[in-house]
Amino acid sequence: MLSASYHFIFTTLDLTLIDLEEFKYGGANITAVRMIDSLRPFVSEVTQDWVMEEKRTGNSPIKGLKTEIPTETALMYDAVYLFAKALHQVAAARDINTMALSCTKQNTWNHGNSVLNYMKTVVFDGLSGRVMFDHKGERSDFSLNVLKLKDQGLTKQPFCTEVSQELRVAITCLGSSRKNGKTKSDDARLDNHQLVPLTSGQNSFLTKDMNT
């Protein structure tokens, strides 16, 4: 049986889709992260729309789910919206003609670079949070929620706050364990306090010998 001596950190972004009922009261410390915040109004609104669609048609992007959107589904939703937004803006500035392209040849679409360049400059709030890209075209400045399993299920935890332009970490329920529905802290002095994280720069342990 799992106890407070066990600590688990799950790297999957979809742990909220798994039924953890039998682990709630075991006392084990279970931590996870997620990208899709179901408490955001926009996410909640889209979720309810898809739930109603399933009731009407028997099918939806989140078929069988009621309150959570899988990460892959949300990312696909945002990707399609991003492409459509870029295509609309390019079409407003010039006439766009489609053409047949072959995967085995090097022919490219005349408007492809224009659409791609605009996609790199778009900033919007999607299902997966703030969507924006750096100069390399890679997504940047996105947020992940830290979740902790409690008696009421996976709960979003305060993690990082910006205080006086210094990054501080909010410590909550540090070393806590659950027993008989109550939470006990091993060190109450650190609970709900803010600590400044420090780092020490060190040379890499692995180096490349240029002579070999």
Side-chain angles (χ1 to χ4, degrees):
M1 180 178 178
L2 298 181
S3 66
S5 300
Y6 291 86
H7 298 259
F8 299 93
I9 299 178
F10 291 88
T11 57
T12 175
L13 298 177
D14 286 323
L15 190 63
T16 54
L17 303 180
I18 300 175
D19 184 7
L20 301 175
E21 183 67 27
E22 61 180 302
F23 302 103
K24 288 182 181 179
Y25 311 104
N29 295 277
I30 296 179
T31 304
V33 293
R34 72 176 177 190
M35 173 177 273
I36 316 305
D37 188 351
S38 59
L39 299 179
R40 288 178 54 225
F42 176 58
V43 176
S44 178
E45 179 182 344
V46 173
T47 302
Q48 293 306 311
D49 287 344
W50 284 346
V51 169
M52 294 302 298
E53 179 182 345
E54 182 177 347
K55 291 181 178 179
R56 292 193 305 268
T57 66
N59 197 10
S60 80
I62 57 170
K63 187 174 182 179
L65 302 175
K66 301 299 181 183
T67 60
E68 300 288 342
I69 299 178
T71 303
E72 185 176 359
T73 302
L75 291 175
M76 180 61 69
Y77 179 98
D78 289 345
V80 172
Y81 178 84
L82 172 63
F83 178 76
K85 187 176 180 64
L87 193 62
H88 176 76
Q89 291 296 325
V90 174
R94 68 185 72 173
D95 293 332
I96 292 183
N97 298 319
T98 59
M99 58 181 294
L101 296 175
S102 173
C103 296
T104 60
K105 297 181 180 180
Q106 297 183 354
N107 296 337
T108 59
W109 186 36
N110 295 334
H111 308 289
N113 284 333
S114 298
V115 174
L116 180 60
N117 289 334
Y118 184 81
M119 290 172 66
K120 293 179 181 179
T121 65
V122 171
V123 178
F124 69 96
D125 292 322
L127 289 179
S128 59
R130 176 58 58 91
V131 178
M132 61 185 302
F133 302 90
D134 60 19
H135 66 283
K136 296 181 180 179
E138 298 178 352
R139 187 165 177 181
S140 62
D141 296 334
F142 59 89
S143 299
L144 296 177
N145 298 148
V146 177
L147 306 176
K148 188 175 181 65
L149 183 62
K150 296 186 177 181
D151 295 343
Q152 61 270 34
L154 286 170
T155 305
K156 180 179 176 180
Q157 299 297 299
F159 185 63
C160 292
T161 57
E162 195 74 20
V163 180
S164 301
Q165 297 183 348
E166 293 182 357
L167 180 63
R168 298 175 183 267
V169 178
I171 303 299
T172 60
C173 301
L174 182 67
S176 63
S177 61
R178 295 183 303 279
K179 186 176 182 180
N180 298 327
K182 297 181 180 180
T183 300
K184 296 183 178 181
S185 178
D186 296 334
D187 192 349
R189 293 175 301 172
L190 289 180
D191 193 27
N192 296 321
H193 279 62
Q194 291 182 337
L195 304 179
V196 179
L198 301 177
T199 60
S200 176
Q202 299 291 336
N203 293 328
S204 173
F205 288 104
L206 299 177
T207 60
K208 181 177 181 180
D209 188 348
M210 301 303 295
N211 296 323
T212 59

